Amino acid sequence: FTADCGHLGYVAANLAVRWHPDGTKVIFAGQTEDEQHALFEFDLETKRSRRIFPFPAQHVVFDFSPGGNYLACLSRDNDDTRPRNGLWIGRSDGRRWRRVAESVKPTNNAPAIAQLQPLLPVWAGDSPRFAFVAMRATEDEQHQHVVFVGDAQTRDTRELLATAEPVRHPRSTPQG
């Protein structure tokens, strides 16, 4: 199959395509008719594509949890009033999407797609638990980097750490 992702950075940063955990489909970032981006699934048996993330945006980056049960999608537009901005967690079949409210940060410009990749969650092994970094403004208009932990099954999210220092590339321990 062929797909237009509309931005060479998706391919260069290895953000364009992922195998579905069951090995029968390919998930890819593709361009919509209105030049937004969305997630699509290409079924290798039927040779058909379908959109699996319902909210097209200026930029989307995505990845599966290690066990393949969940799909995370980070969606970002220049327009902060759109409710599609932020981290979304769905089942690996592309259904039951939930927006993680704590993941949204006000911004005047959508960051480059390569800057979004480190904001994808890290997963605690094969469990539904994940952690992610977000930013928020403080009362004195400084930025805080905040680490949140969440659970894809219970849909709970809690703050773990807030710091003025940048938090980059968090990782999970083997124990989760």
Side-chain angles (χ1 to χ4, degrees):
F1 76 97
T2 61
D4 185 6
C5 58
H7 191 297
L8 183 59
Y10 278 100
V11 176
N14 192 26
L15 299 172
V17 178
R18 297 284 182 269
W19 277 103
H20 189 279
D22 70 11
T24 66
K25 300 174 214 68
V26 174
I27 309 300
F28 63 96
Q31 205 167 22
T32 62
E33 303 80 36
D34 59 353
E35 297 188 9
Q36 296 286 303
H37 289 90
L39 291 187
F40 296 87
E41 170 187 276
F42 179 79
D43 186 301
L44 296 170
E45 184 178 322
T46 66
K47 308 278 191 254
R48 294 184 184 216
S49 294
R50 72 177 180 101
R51 190 161 80 187
I52 61 170
F53 183 66
F55 310 109
Q58 190 170 4
H59 301 298
V60 294
V61 294
F62 66 100
D63 212 347
F64 285 98
S65 63
N69 296 321
Y70 300 99
L71 182 57
C73 179
L74 190 58
S75 171
R76 178 63 72 201
D77 271 316
N78 279 337
D79 182 354
D80 284 327
T81 62
R82 293 186 174 167
R84 62 180 140 217
N85 282 344
L87 175 63
W88 294 78
I89 305 290
R91 294 188 333 207
S92 64
D93 62 3
R95 302 186 195 285
R96 303 187 91 191
W97 289 100
R98 170 184 78 100
R99 184 171 155 265
V100 181
E102 296 85 356
S103 66
V104 178
K105 93 173 175 75
T107 181
N108 292 331
N109 294 312
I113 55 175
Q115 293 171 313
L116 289 176
Q117 187 177 22
L119 301 178
L120 281 169
V122 293
W123 296 86
D126 198 15
S127 84
R129 294 181 21 215
F130 60 93
F132 65 95
V133 178
M135 288 182 59
R136 70 174 168 219
T138 60
E139 290 178 13
D140 58 354
E141 298 189 24
Q142 300 295 313
H143 289 295
Q144 263 189 332
H145 298 260
V146 186
V147 178
F148 290 93
V149 292
D151 188 300
Q153 277 184 327
T154 65
R155 298 181 169 222
D156 293 330
T157 306
R158 68 180 171 84
E159 184 177 316
L160 183 66
L161 169 75
T163 178
E165 298 299 316
V167 177
R168 293 186 175 92
H169 306 291
R171 298 287 183 253
S172 177
T173 64
Q175 298 81 19

